[in-house]
Amino acid sequence: MSNTRLVTAITLLGGMLSVLLGCAEPYPKTPRLRWYVFDEPSGAFQQAAQSCAERSRGRYAIELVPLPTDADQQREQLVRRLAAEDPDIDIIGMDVIWTAEFAAAGWVLPWRGEAARKARADRLDSAIESASYEKQLWAAPFTTNTQLLWYRGDRVDTPPPTWNEMIRHAEALGAHGTIQTQGERYEGLTVFFVSLLASAGGSVLAADGQTVSLQEAPTRRALEVMQRLANSTAADPTLATAREDHARLAFERGNSSFMVNYTFVWPSARANAPQVARHMDWARWPAVIAGKPSRVTLGGINLGIGAHSRHPEMAFEAAACLVSDSNQRLAAALGGLPPTITALYDDAQVRATFPFADVLRETLRDAVQRPKTPLYADVSLAISHTLHPLRDIDPQRDVARLRDAVGRALRSEGLL
Amino acid sequence: MTRRAAEQRLAWLLCAPAVIAMLVVTAYPMLYAVWLSLFRYDLRFPNQRRFVGVENYVSVLSAEAWWQSLFNTLFITVGSVVFEFLLGLVFALVMHRAIIGRQLVRASLLVPYGIITVVAAMSWRFAFDPTTGFVNALLGLESAWLTQRWTAFFVIIQTEIWKTTPFMALLLLAGLSVVPEDLLRAARVDGANAAQRFFKVTLPLMRPVIMVALLFRTLDAFRIFDTVFVQTRGAQGTESVSIVGYNALVTRLNLGLGSAVSVLIFVCVLTIGVLYIKGFGSDWSRRREH
């Protein structure tokens, strides 16, 4: 009895082993390049990876490793691996705010020579700038993004040119006048502040990138707008916990007349709330100073090559393919991600996806970069912690507080 | 005597694997954290690592953010543990006395405890959201709970209570079942009423179990992270010490400063443990000696 059992067990085990051995290839013929990038829902990245692998004629395959959608969490997962010199990371979908940090830490390889020239060719200047640090290109510009002003054309005749006018207009509209913005204590609040500050003519860091700038007059103007908005009847009651997606959902419900948000809100509104989308209009982000066009924070992702990649040469080649014209079209058409190739903004197909292509291109041309420092995460934490909640901002007092907090972040001092 | 020594040696030998495992997985990381906390060490710039002594501790202890978060954490801890204990005791008594559907009552009470903390925190965040939630509709309010400090505390604490009261109730139920029936009957014969029996017989006998339950929950509550992270991300002045540590260590990659925060949290936890054992334990052992 027990003997037959033993025989069965051995036979089974042997069978399993042979199956396993048959499957496992100790030395796979084609190297698998691992592309760490946020989990893109439309499948555009997946298709791009496949087509580039095909184009390599079997020299490499590209495997997507999905990261969370939240940029803070993407970074947390990546930096731990990068600091531990993980060779599994070949290609990184880098948020524009990581360039300085990853470059300074030596976590990504620089793009040089012909590869760099091609990666720069015909790309938007602001996108190239976002992938550069200390005059060196560290990633290939792939997709870009920025905020526009979305408003209800049925309630508002002409888009308000400045924040003050928008708040006044929204207050006059009463119950339907709400302005949707991002006011939670997170990186998005830093984005909002940087856009307002740049529109007022200021900057967070001095030209050397090491010291605090935050000039008195523009900083105060930016804080005044935030404080006025948060204490206005036009602010959403949940402003202190509102993120981009919260704003999108609130706008789709139809009770808001204005929203500053990224372009993803357009396909979303058309799919979820057609009756709102029908009246949805767009314009450039409102100015802070009348007559001085706004400067809005640049977003998007660039492709960097992991410093400890096993196949750096192939990874550069694959990344160059992933950011090519056809894949940017794909990302635009399927994923709604604005391209970095300038000429695509005149392409009929891209313009069908982004009917606001002209405003978008104009905004991108004047876009502002977030503080380019390896300590950006610290600086962002300092800014969002100091300014939250927006309703309690005291422009007079908080300019000094902000300067102090950003200064300490730049010196890696103390808790924030 | 020699036999006793030999037995003791055997005991140590038998314990050795467990002791070694504990040393490797707990003592080593803890000592390493203490070691790291003496350095200025940024994961991005490992070459710039240098010894700074207690500088990190000075900078944490002199930061307003630390004391503020310590207060927040203690507030959440006391707020949740007190209510969990009272509610847990009620539930334990109900479960203990339940005659019909005993299994069903116990199982259903455990449901909240079985739910993952992050999921529970998210559910409550949505429940208290003024646009998607049911709480405002139920109470006829129009309040944005998580945007104000004290209401945000309320949401966080009630999430904790909702989630962990079952744990408390189960532990206390175990304590109730060790109270001998004869003792309660004898008290009854002596003319003690229900309240007297509960306060003079049941509670004192449950003392060690109560201590364990309170100690576990207090230490757990003090290390609160997920609920606060999901519901407010530490905004509105609800930051807990764990979130302060997370920001320094995981977001800012400042290993020195972050380790100093971790070590200080450990010291707090240790203090809580000692206070409990001093407060409850000695009293109890004295009683036993009589």
Side-chain angles (χ1 to χ4, degrees):
Chain A
M1 183 66 188
S2 67
N3 254 351
T4 40
R5 257 196 209 163
L6 194 70
V7 170
T8 328
I10 288 174
T11 325
L12 267 176
L13 203 71
M16 267 154 71
L17 263 177
S18 64
V19 169
L20 273 175
L21 285 174
C23 283
E25 269 177 281
Y27 300 103
K29 283 182 207 94
T30 43
R32 285 186 169 277
L33 301 174
R34 306 262 288 166
W35 180 17
Y36 283 71
V37 67
F38 76 87
D39 196 12
E40 203 280 317
S42 78
F45 292 174
Q46 190 70 52
Q47 280 192 35
Q50 212 156 3
S51 82
C52 283
E54 276 160 23
R55 216 188 291 177
S56 84
R57 295 208 191 80
R59 283 190 305 114
Y60 57 77
I62 304 174
E63 198 176 340
L64 254 69
V65 186
L67 293 171
T69 39
D70 179 337
D72 288 343
Q73 279 161 29
Q74 290 166 31
R75 175 179 164 274
E76 276 163 24
Q77 298 207 1
L78 278 171
V79 291
R80 265 174 285 170
R81 282 168 172 271
L82 290 166
E85 308 188 349
D86 185 354
D88 189 56
I89 301 180
D90 297 305
I91 306 168
I92 310 168
M94 282 165 59
D95 195 297
V96 292
I97 54 182
W98 306 336
T99 311
E101 180 180 32
F102 285 19
W107 290 337
V108 285
L109 297 174
W111 287 65
R112 293 193 205 278
E114 183 63 11
R117 195 192 61 75
K118 274 193 182 152
R120 282 200 190 97
D122 309 321
R123 302 304 197 273
L124 290 164
D125 288 336
S126 52
I128 298 171
E129 176 62 23
S130 77
S132 311
Y133 177 61
E134 293 186 337
K135 295 192 178 124
Q136 168 65 49
L137 189 70
W138 293 93
F142 183 28
T143 68
T144 184
N145 219 334
T146 192
Q147 290 194 339
L148 299 179
L149 169 66
W150 308 88
Y151 65 97
R152 288 287 294 256
D154 54 337
R155 297 180 193 146
V156 184
D157 295 331
T158 47
T162 64
W163 275 91
N164 279 335
E165 275 180 54
M166 178 160 79
I167 297 169
R168 213 174 304 137
H169 200 142
E171 282 169 349
L173 280 170
H176 289 306
T178 312
I179 302 173
Q180 294 296 338
T181 51
Q182 293 79 46
E184 196 181 68
R185 198 181 72 173
Y186 76 124
E187 210 264 328
L189 188 68
T190 307
V191 171
F192 188 35
F193 171 72
V194 169
S195 298
L196 286 172
L197 180 67
S199 303
S203 68
V204 177
L205 299 184
D208 64 357
Q210 318 268 328
T211 46
V212 189
S213 170
L214 290 172
Q215 308 91 319
E216 178 77 27
T219 310
R220 208 170 52 226
R221 284 201 88 145
L223 296 187
E224 276 163 7
V225 171
M226 289 178 131
Q227 186 251 4
R228 179 164 177 210
L229 172 73
N231 289 293
S232 153
T233 50
D236 190 285
T238 59
L239 176 65
T241 52
R243 299 170 148 238
E244 287 88 351
D245 214 42
H246 185 108
R248 167 185 72 89
L249 287 170
F251 195 85
E252 283 174 10
R253 229 169 287 121
N255 288 327
S256 309
S257 289
F258 302 97
M259 162 168 71
V260 285
N261 215 331
Y262 293 95
T263 53
F264 78 104
V265 298
W266 172 246
S268 164
R270 290 218 297 180
N272 301 338
Q275 73 287 359
V276 170
R278 206 174 326 128
H279 302 298
M280 212 163 146
D281 251 317
W282 51 80
R284 191 161 168 158
W285 221 72
V288 171
I289 300 170
K292 193 174 156 116
S294 61
R295 296 194 61 201
V296 193
T297 310
L298 187 83
I301 64 165
N302 305 318
L303 299 191
I305 307 303
H308 301 280
S309 160
R310 290 190 190 95
H311 317 284
E313 293 302 313
M314 259 181 240
F316 272 112
E317 202 187 312
C321 170
L322 290 171
V323 299
S324 66
D325 183 278
S326 61
N327 288 328
Q328 291 208 10
R329 280 169 195 275
L330 201 65
L334 286 182
L337 300 167
T340 49
I341 297 175
T342 323
L344 285 181
Y345 287 83
D346 293 318
D347 179 88
Q349 202 193 341
V350 172
R351 290 179 77 88
T353 316
F354 305 111
F356 38 81
D358 290 330
V359 186
L360 189 61
R361 179 164 50 181
E362 235 175 81
T363 308
L364 289 168
R365 198 176 290 147
D366 296 340
V368 60
Q369 310 283 338
R370 277 166 268 186
K372 298 195 93 176
T373 159
L375 295 162
Y376 176 73
D378 308 49
V379 169
S380 169
L381 218 54
I383 292 175
S384 60
H385 277 221
T386 311
L387 298 183
H388 190 274
L390 299 182
R391 59 172 184 267
D392 292 343
I393 288 178
D394 175 353
Q396 206 75 37
R397 174 199 69 191
D398 285 343
V399 175
R401 277 184 64 221
L402 199 61
R403 257 196 220 135
D404 179 55
V406 173
R408 279 191 296 132
L410 286 172
R411 293 188 300 273
S412 288
E413 265 175 27
L415 297 175
L416 295 170
Chain B
M1 201 60 197
T2 47
R3 182 167 168 206
R4 204 186 153 153
E7 258 179 13
Q8 229 161 31
R9 228 186 42 214
L10 180 68
W12 274 112
L13 272 175
L14 290 174
C15 286
V19 170
I20 290 168
M22 287 298 280
L23 283 178
V24 171
V25 301
T26 54
Y28 171 71
M30 256 154 33
L31 292 175
Y32 189 51
V34 174
W35 175 246
L36 279 178
S37 70
L38 304 176
F39 287 85
R40 187 187 178 98
Y41 186 10
D42 190 313
L43 203 53
R44 286 166 286 207
F45 314 111
N47 301 330
Q48 294 171 19
R49 169 177 151 150
R50 64 184 168 85
F51 186 80
V52 292
V54 294
E55 199 183 273
N56 286 326
Y57 291 95
V58 172
S59 100
V60 172
L61 290 175
S62 61
E64 196 207 352
W66 165 257
W67 296 107
Q68 184 63 51
S69 65
L70 188 64
F71 167 80
N72 295 342
T73 313
L74 288 172
F75 184 76
I76 295 172
T77 307
V78 173
S80 54
V81 173
V82 166
F83 283 101
E84 278 163 27
F85 174 67
L86 295 176
L87 279 173
L89 200 58
V90 172
F91 287 155
L93 287 169
V94 169
M95 286 194 281
H96 192 58
R97 294 276 165 243
I99 299 161
I100 29 167
R102 207 167 173 157
Q103 300 289 340
L104 189 74
V105 170
R106 284 186 193 184
S108 55
L109 257 171
L110 264 178
V111 169
Y113 192 61
I115 292 175
I116 299 160
T117 315
V118 171
V119 177
M122 282 197 155
S123 315
W124 282 111
R125 191 184 77 190
F126 288 127
F128 279 96
D129 189 285
T131 42
T132 58
F134 66 83
V135 175
N136 274 348
L138 208 66
L139 301 177
L141 290 174
E142 253 183 68
S143 145
W145 295 79
L146 289 167
T147 64
Q148 302 283 343
R149 184 161 188 220
W150 298 107
T151 49
F153 266 134
F154 174 80
V155 176
I156 291 168
I157 291 175
Q158 78 83 35
T159 305
E160 284 287 290
I161 295 173
W162 178 83
K163 167 123 180 62
T164 44
T165 300
F167 172 76
M168 198 65 127
L170 264 199
L171 277 182
L172 294 176
L173 178 65
L176 273 179
S177 57
V178 302
V179 177
E181 273 302 305
D182 325 354
L183 223 53
L184 289 171
R185 279 201 210 108
R188 198 178 205 152
V189 170
D190 289 343
N193 62 27
Q196 282 170 328
R197 287 199 304 273
F198 179 70
F199 286 107
K200 301 262 155 121
V201 181
T202 310
L203 269 190
L205 282 170
M206 283 176 70
R207 210 180 171 107
V209 175
I210 291 175
M211 190 199 93
V212 170
L214 284 181
L215 181 62
F216 274 32
R217 265 311 297 154
T218 309
L219 295 186
D220 238 23
F222 188 80
R223 291 178 292 124
I224 182 170
F225 179 82
D226 352 23
T227 309
V228 179
F229 189 78
V230 168
Q231 292 186 337
T232 63
R233 285 209 161 211
Q236 274 77 255
T238 57
E239 206 155 58
S240 72
V241 281
S242 305
I243 295 217
V244 170
Y246 165 86
N247 279 339
L249 204 57
V250 181
T251 306
R252 296 176 64 199
L253 304 173
N254 198 328
L255 296 189
L257 205 61
S259 300
V261 173
S262 309
V263 171
L264 286 171
I265 294 175
F266 178 66
V267 170
C268 292
V269 165
L270 216 59
T271 315
I272 292 174
V274 169
L275 283 180
Y276 262 104
I277 291 171
K278 285 251 181 233
F280 270 90
S282 62
D283 209 38
W284 179 65
S285 57
R286 227 184 14 237
R287 190 172 294 262
R288 207 168 47 173
E289 275 160 27
H290 280 297

